[in-house]
Amino acid sequence: MIAILGAGSLGRLWAATLPAGQVAFVPRPGQAPEPARYRFQPLVGESFSVTVPWLQRGQSPELLLVTTKAGDTLEALKAALPSIASSTPIVLFQNGLGSQQQVAATWPQRPVLAASTTEGANRPEQGLTVHAGCGATWVGALNPTGQPLVNRVAQQLAESRLEVHPEQDILGRLWQKLVINAGINAFTAVLDCPNGEILERPFYQRWITPLCREISHLLAAVGQPEHTPEALRESIEAVARRTATNTSSMRADVLAGRPKEIDFINGYLARLGQLHGIATPVNQMLTERVQQLN
Ligand code: PAF
C-alpha cells in the first residue's frame, strides 16, 4: 500500500496512475470519511473514474508520498506520522526548497527522500483531474537513512508507468528547478500573465539580471555548480519560451486564492542570502510583492 498525504492535483495524478487498489490518501484532520472520487483525464485516451480510500488506522503503508503545499508540509506530517511506522520511506514532492530540509531535520531517524517532477496536472473543474503535461520524476535521498531505499522507491513509483529515475544528487536537481521557478513564478504572479509573456514586460526586463546575479552568488555559497548570471538567465528564458502559454503554479495559486509558495522559492533565497551575508534585495522584493497579492 502506498499512502499519499495531500489530495491536490499532484497527489491525484499519482493516485490515478499507480496500480488501483494499492493507494490510499492519508486523512487530514476534519476530512470527510467518504473515499475520494474523481474523474481522471490521462494524456492519451478516455477519462476514467478513480476512487481512492482513506488510509485506515492500523494500516501500515510501505511508502508515504507527500504532495502537500510546501507551507503545509511540516504540520501535515506532524499529524500523520505518529500512526505510520518509522521505517516507512517519506517522499517529499514539494516545490522550492526549505520545507524538505525542515522535514529531514525534524525526523532525522526516518528515511526521507525528495522527488523533483516535471509532470503537469491540474484540476480545471471540481471532480476532474487532468494529466496536462508529460514529464519525468527524479527521486533521491535527503538523509543517510533514505539512501539505501532510492532504487526501491523509484521502482515502486514507476509502477505508475510515469517516467521515474533514481537520482544520486536530488538536492542539485531541486536547486535547478528552484532557479527556474525563482526566475519565472513570481514574475508571472505579479504581472498576472502566462510564462512567455513576462519576457516582454519592463518589470521582468528591469529585474531579471540583478536577480540572476543574486542567484549566481548563492549557488557558489552553497556549493552548487557555479553559473554566470547570463547562463542562468538563458536557462530561465528557455523554459519561459518552452512553456509560453502555461499559467505558472504560483499564478494559478494566486488566481485560485490558495496559499502561495513564495517563501520556499524567492523567500528561501532571500533567507539563504541573510545566512551567507549575500545581499538579495531582488529576491526580497519579489517575495514581498507576491505576499501582498490577494
Ligand atoms: O511552477 C511552475 O509552474 C513550473 O515549474 C514552471 C517551470 C514555471 C512552468 O510553468
Side-chain angles (χ1 to χ4, degrees):
M1 165 72 65
I2 297 182
I4 302 179
L5 178 60
S9 304
L10 191 60
R12 285 171 186 238
L13 170 68
W14 286 100
T17 51
L18 282 163
Q22 290 184 30
V23 184
F25 282 130
V26 181
R28 310 275 293 270
Q31 204 123 41
E34 300 84 43
R37 290 183 217 281
Y38 53 97
R39 284 203 79 69
F40 179 70
Q41 174 63 62
L43 278 172
V44 281
E46 295 287 298
S47 69
F48 55 90
S49 82
V50 181
T51 303
V52 187
W54 297 105
L55 191 71
Q56 302 297 312
R57 281 202 162 276
Q59 262 185 323
S60 191
E62 299 152 47
L63 185 61
L64 174 64
L65 310 185
V66 186
T67 52
T68 46
K69 288 265 167 210
D72 291 342
T73 301
L74 202 58
E75 288 313 307
L77 277 171
K78 279 183 185 163
L81 284 183
S83 54
I84 291 180
S86 59
S87 56
T88 303
I90 302 171
V91 187
L92 303 170
F93 277 83
Q94 283 59 45
N95 279 332
L97 273 174
S99 70
Q100 298 91 337
Q101 289 94 331
Q102 286 175 340
V103 172
T106 309
W107 292 282
Q109 310 305 336
R110 286 184 178 260
V112 182
L113 296 87
S116 178
T117 188
T118 55
E119 296 291 351
N122 57 48
R123 285 183 292 166
E125 58 188 73
Q126 176 98 7
L128 175 68
T129 300
V130 176
H131 187 191
C134 176
T137 301
W138 290 264
V139 60
L142 278 185
N143 65 5
T145 327
Q147 193 60 52
L149 303 172
V150 171
N151 286 334
R152 195 190 88 196
V153 169
Q155 274 164 17
Q156 282 173 300
L157 291 178
E159 285 180 30
S160 62
R161 298 183 180 269
L162 301 177
E163 189 183 319
V164 181
H165 305 278
E167 170 62 87
Q168 284 315 308
D169 179 19
I170 193 66
L171 195 61
R173 208 167 262 283
L174 292 171
W175 260 102
Q176 287 166 21
K177 191 168 180 206
L178 176 69
V179 168
I180 302 298
N181 289 145
I184 294 181
N185 293 26
F187 287 109
T188 61
V190 170
L191 297 168
D192 191 18
C193 68
N195 295 353
E197 234 180 272
I198 57 173
L199 303 173
E200 315 303 326
R201 300 290 194 96
F203 179 70
Y204 171 85
Q205 291 165 351
R206 163 77 185 84
W207 295 113
I208 187 61
T209 295
L211 175 73
C212 288
R213 238 179 262 133
E214 293 179 10
I215 300 175
S216 175
H217 287 143
L218 290 169
L219 285 171
V222 298
Q224 286 295 319
E226 297 190 20
H227 292 280
T228 61
E230 294 72 30
L232 293 173
R233 181 170 177 170
E234 238 166 72
S235 38
I236 288 166
E237 297 192 346
V239 176
R241 277 192 291 272
R242 204 171 57 235
T243 61
T245 57
N246 287 14
T247 285
S248 79
S249 51
M250 192 172 291
R251 179 177 178 229
D253 286 342
V254 171
L255 292 174
R258 289 189 294 258
K260 301 170 282 270
E261 297 188 307
I262 191 70
D263 289 346
F264 301 90
I265 302 179
N266 303 88
Y268 174 76
L269 295 172
R271 289 197 301 281
L272 207 61
Q274 281 164 13
L275 206 66
H276 290 275
I278 294 170
T280 51
V282 184
N283 278 293
Q284 188 60 39
M285 177 274 291
L286 289 171
T287 303
E288 286 165 15
R289 289 289 298 262
V290 172
Q291 280 165 346
Q292 284 155 13
L293 298 172
N294 281 331

